[in-house]
Amino acid sequence: MSNINIIIEERPADIGHFLVGRLLPFRDKRMVGPFIFIDHMGPAKLSDHENIDIGPHPHIGLSTLTYLFDGAILHKDTLGTEVEITPGQVNWMTAGKGIVHSERTPLHLRHSDKTLHGLQIWVALPQDLAEMEPTFYHAAADEIPAWETDGVAYKLIAGAAFGRQSPVPVYSPLFFLEIKSPTTQTIRIGDELVGEAGLYILEGSIESEGFTYEPKRILVAKNSQLCEFVIHANSTVYVFGGEPFPEGRHIYWNFVATSLERIEQAKQDWRNQNFPILAGETDVIPLPPDLSNLKQKP
């Protein structure tokens, strides 16, 4: 990508019996547009006795986006949602004033060998919608806009670009694009982007200004309007970003807010069991100690 401002490498993070590669937040770049958190899950091979079991936990002030390349996750939340997400689909959960959910290996996979690979993403809500009622949206794979240009395959997972609109109900101007190419091509998409832009390399490599960049890193552009790069053959990249908010965000555990007071309220609400209860789930995740590396001042 032309005019690269910062390069963010994946860092290992333990989310409870499962190691992920954390990309955002980063000490020198806390957000890209409204995108405030990105984890790369796997690829992981799990045996017949290993399963993902992330018990009930809360969120406020954000939307979560789950996008899988391989495997399956069963999502349950306090809206009554129970849905299995599989590759190519999009789970979009908007926490607003507060929601509780769990993420587990589906029952039909719990006693067999399996794999899991995907992205877990948080998108902060605009300040005036931070306390909205929680919602959930599941998009089937064939609902996501997909097209080819000069042999390059594009998919608009969320937001708007190229005169197209994803069905995922976002709440601020943003984009989340998948780009796959079987051949080496020059990609020029700056005119289609708004606000800030980041590029995540999943597989293969790209070239920009004479430098080659390989997987497991985000490249953040100085100016999204100058987004241009060479994608090498058999590569997959994700371009994401959007209009940044005028005010900053604090982040603690699963809570995102514009004020520390709101974060403290959410912490107390979770301690005092004031969040909605997820029926049939007992392994509730307790509030962790202060995570100073995940705090952000406006």
Side-chain angles (χ1 to χ4, degrees), residues 29-41:
K29 186 61 177 172
R30 308 299 296 186
M31 299 174 69
V32 178
F35 289 76
I36 194 168
F37 182 98
I38 302 177
D39 270 356
H40 176 207
M41 306 181 293

Side-chain angles (χ1 to χ4, degrees), residues 140-286:
D142 59 6
E143 294 181 77
I144 304 302
W147 68 98
E148 283 195 11
T149 301
D150 298 327
V152 178
Y154 294 84
K155 190 178 292 185
L156 182 59
I157 298 168
F162 295 92
R164 294 170 167 88
Q165 179 77 48
S166 167
V168 175
V170 302
Y171 298 99
S172 65
L174 63 85
F175 51 87
F176 180 35
L177 281 161
E178 177 185 87
I179 304 176
K180 291 177 175 253
S181 182
T183 61
T184 298
Q185 299 265 8
T186 298
I187 306 294
R188 298 182 180 90
I189 57 174
D191 290 344
E192 303 295 334
L193 309 181
V194 296
E196 297 182 321
L199 183 150
Y200 175 66
I201 306 166
L202 177 69
E203 58 186 357
S205 60
I206 72 158
E207 183 179 337
S208 177
E209 299 173 320
F211 294 94
T212 298
Y213 300 95
E214 297 183 337
K216 296 189 175 183
R217 66 199 67 199
I218 286 176
L219 312 178
V220 181
K222 296 175 186 175
N223 182 347
S224 66
Q225 299 302 302
L226 301 178
C227 184
E228 177 181 323
F229 58 93
V230 174
I231 186 170
H232 290 159
N234 303 313
S235 295
T236 302
V237 302
Y238 292 85
V239 181
F240 66 95
E243 294 289 357
F245 297 129
E247 65 285 316
R249 293 295 186 275
H250 298 279
I251 179 170
Y252 169 88
W253 192 33
N254 304 312
F255 306 140
V256 169
T258 56
S259 73
L260 285 175
E261 291 76 15
R262 182 65 182 96
I263 296 286
E264 289 301 318
Q265 178 190 333
K267 289 163 67 174
Q268 285 298 113
D269 286 343
W270 187 242
R271 288 191 190 102
N272 297 335
Q273 301 180 25
N274 290 333
F275 273 84
I277 295 173
L278 188 55
E281 302 268 14
T282 57
D283 53 339
V284 175
I285 298 177

